[in-house]
Amino acid sequence: MNDIFGTDTLLLDNPSAFTSARAHQPGALVGNTPVLWVSEPLAPAGRGFWAKLEGYNPGGMKDRPALHMVRSAEARGDLLPGARIIESTSGTLGSGLALAGIAHRHPVTVVTDPGLEPILHRLLAAHGARVDVVTEPHPVGGWQQARRDRVAELQAAEPFSWSPDQYRNPDNVDAYKSLAFELVAQLGRVDVLVCSVGTGGHSAGVSRVLRRFFPHLELIGVDTVSSTIFGQPAGPRLMRGLGSSIYPDNVDYPAFNEVHWVAPAEAVRTTRTLAATHHAGGGWSVGAVALVAGWAARTRPAGTRIAAVFPDGPQRYFDTISNDEYCAEHGLLDSPLPDEPDTVAYPGERVVNSWTRTTTVLDPRGAIAGATPQTHRNPQIDKARR
């Protein structure tokens, strides 16, 4: 027998080599996602980073917290059998909650805004979720606060319904232990972790576990311009999935060593480069994280092991990031991709509009309350550097 692999007896000798995972329910398909080595042209020859491809989950990275938050709420009695789940989402968590609703037999309502991609809207409906779209942003908190206000209205109208409140729910953070343990098993060592930041869940959850194994881990956060998370003023944001116009409680400010803000055009150009050279496309967060991880691979000493979390795959972005007309309309292909970020001494030094970094990580809520903002460092790293 001659097969396409060029090995006559491989299948006969080892049929298990061709088996895939079997699952009795869809939630069991979440996790154990692969890592991919990414090098040129995002990093120099011989250097690169490992990308954790969370798009290999059924709906993306947020399948993990969706399932974990639902299971934990059921165990505590906060979520009653058959009760409706109602939550605000820009997309990926909605997909995860639709999965959790099927797996645990709960109806699901996702509250979103007009920026939700049409393909994802239709997929959510196909998966049985009710999609509620707010039509006006909140005057201060933008679309996120408008969605959260609508969630409160829907909950008040439906007794026994439950909202996971991903921005403030510690189960959102705890859900990423599995991702951290997978990285340890796959890579053996992680020196630098690069994460996008939206709710703050995976950057906090993954780094917290990894530092138990690797105390000197560097955590680099990736935000979008016009996001308030790390002390920049709020503004209209084209990118979804990272950034915020509110202050999520799950953001672990002391955990970060530095933060980068990335603009939409920079994320798009990186995403397209990544897809064309590594067949590993994704969304806004993937492009922004890949840009910063490639820079880290260029600037850290040779041998530094860098892991970057890619939250999703390319499917939902066929009519935005992968659409030339959309990108031309928004001026996303006009400017060349910079080789290096600009630098600010601290987040409030000036408003940033393009790729910029700072090593002064502040909790902006302290500044708003009138307190003196504190620079946050990982104490284990500081001790090692002294």
Side-chain angles (χ1 to χ4, degrees):
M1 177 178 69
N2 258 326
D3 60 35
I4 60 173
F5 300 100
T7 52
D8 293 345
T9 60
L10 177 60
L11 182 57
L12 292 176
D13 292 346
N14 187 23
S16 65
F18 290 88
T19 60
S20 58
R22 296 192 298 182
H24 289 285
Q25 57 98 2
L29 297 173
V30 176
N32 295 312
T33 55
V35 292
L36 174 70
W37 177 250
V38 177
S39 185
E40 298 177 275
L42 298 182
R47 295 197 183 192
F49 61 90
W50 290 100
K52 181 69 166 164
L53 303 181
E54 287 292 281
Y56 278 72
N57 288 309
M61 178 181 69
K62 290 194 175 182
D63 289 349
R64 296 182 192 257
L67 286 164
H68 184 68
M69 288 189 293
V70 167
R71 291 168 183 154
S72 299
E74 286 181 333
R76 289 191 298 266
D78 296 338
L79 175 58
L80 301 179
R84 180 171 293 278
I85 299 169
I86 305 174
E87 176 64 319
S88 159
T89 179
S90 62
T92 310
L93 182 71
S95 180
L97 287 173
L99 171 64
I102 292 169
H104 293 270
R105 300 183 180 181
H106 293 280
V108 173
T109 295
V110 294
V111 178
T112 187
D113 58 66
L116 182 72
E117 297 86 354
I119 186 174
L120 190 53
H121 189 142
R122 295 182 183 121
L123 281 173
L124 287 169
H127 291 153
R130 183 185 298 169
V131 183
D132 189 288
V133 183
V134 298
T135 57
E136 296 291 336
H138 186 277
V140 177
W143 290 112
Q144 278 174 306
Q145 189 59 51
R147 297 195 313 251
R148 288 168 57 79
D149 290 347
R150 179 60 177 160
V151 167
E153 291 176 8
L154 293 174
Q155 275 199 275
E158 183 152 1
F160 308 114
S161 62
W162 172 79
S163 175
D165 192 6
Q166 60 173 320
Y167 306 100
R168 297 182 172 90
N169 190 336
D171 291 329
N172 181 10
V173 176
D174 292 342
Y176 290 105
K177 290 178 181 177
S178 60
L179 197 160
F181 287 131
E182 288 168 27
L183 284 174
V184 173
Q186 290 167 319
L187 302 182
R189 186 188 83 248
V190 181
D191 303 310
V192 178
L193 177 67
V194 185
C195 293
S196 57
V197 185
T199 68
H202 82 277
S203 56
V206 177
S207 65
R208 194 168 297 169
V209 173
L210 287 184
R211 280 187 171 135
R212 287 160 48 187
F213 293 90
F214 319 113
H216 306 307
L217 175 83
E218 262 190 273
L219 176 61
I220 302 178
V222 183
D223 199 0
T224 173
V225 298
S226 301
S227 165
T228 63
I229 294 177
F230 292 101
Q232 284 281 301
R237 299 195 317 275
L238 188 63
M239 295 204 282
R240 299 173 70 81
L242 74 167
S244 180
S245 52
I246 62 175
Y247 299 103
D249 287 352
N250 282 330
V251 177
D252 186 0
Y253 290 98
F256 291 95
N257 298 92
E258 64 180 271
V259 172
H260 291 235
W261 294 273
V262 175
E266 295 156 349
V268 165
R269 293 182 72 89
T270 307
T271 301
R272 287 180 163 221
T273 299
L274 183 69
T277 58
H278 290 78
H279 205 272
W284 305 102
S285 297
V286 167
V289 165
L291 175 67
V292 175
W295 170 85
R298 295 194 299 273
T299 58
R300 296 311 189 265
T304 302
R305 190 160 297 173
I306 300 166
V309 180
F310 284 9
D312 59 13
Q315 293 82 1
R316 65 184 273 197
Y317 305 100
F318 84 102
D319 208 25
T320 52
I321 290 173
S322 299
N323 185 327
D324 287 346
E325 292 181 3
Y326 174 91
C327 290
E329 177 186 349
H330 292 88
L332 301 177
L333 302 176
D334 296 340
S335 55
L337 193 63
D339 293 325
E340 301 290 333
D342 196 0
T343 301
V344 291
Y346 59 95
E349 179 181 324
R350 58 181 169 82
V351 177
V352 301
N353 297 303
S354 60
W355 183 18
T356 305
R357 64 183 283 261
T358 185
T359 56
T360 303
V361 182
L362 305 175
D363 184 341
R365 293 170 298 185
I368 289 172
T372 302
Q374 298 297 311
T375 301
H376 293 304
R377 298 286 189 188
N378 180 273
Q380 293 169 312
I381 294 175
D382 287 346
K383 183 178 179 181
R385 287 176 174 169
R386 285 198 291 266

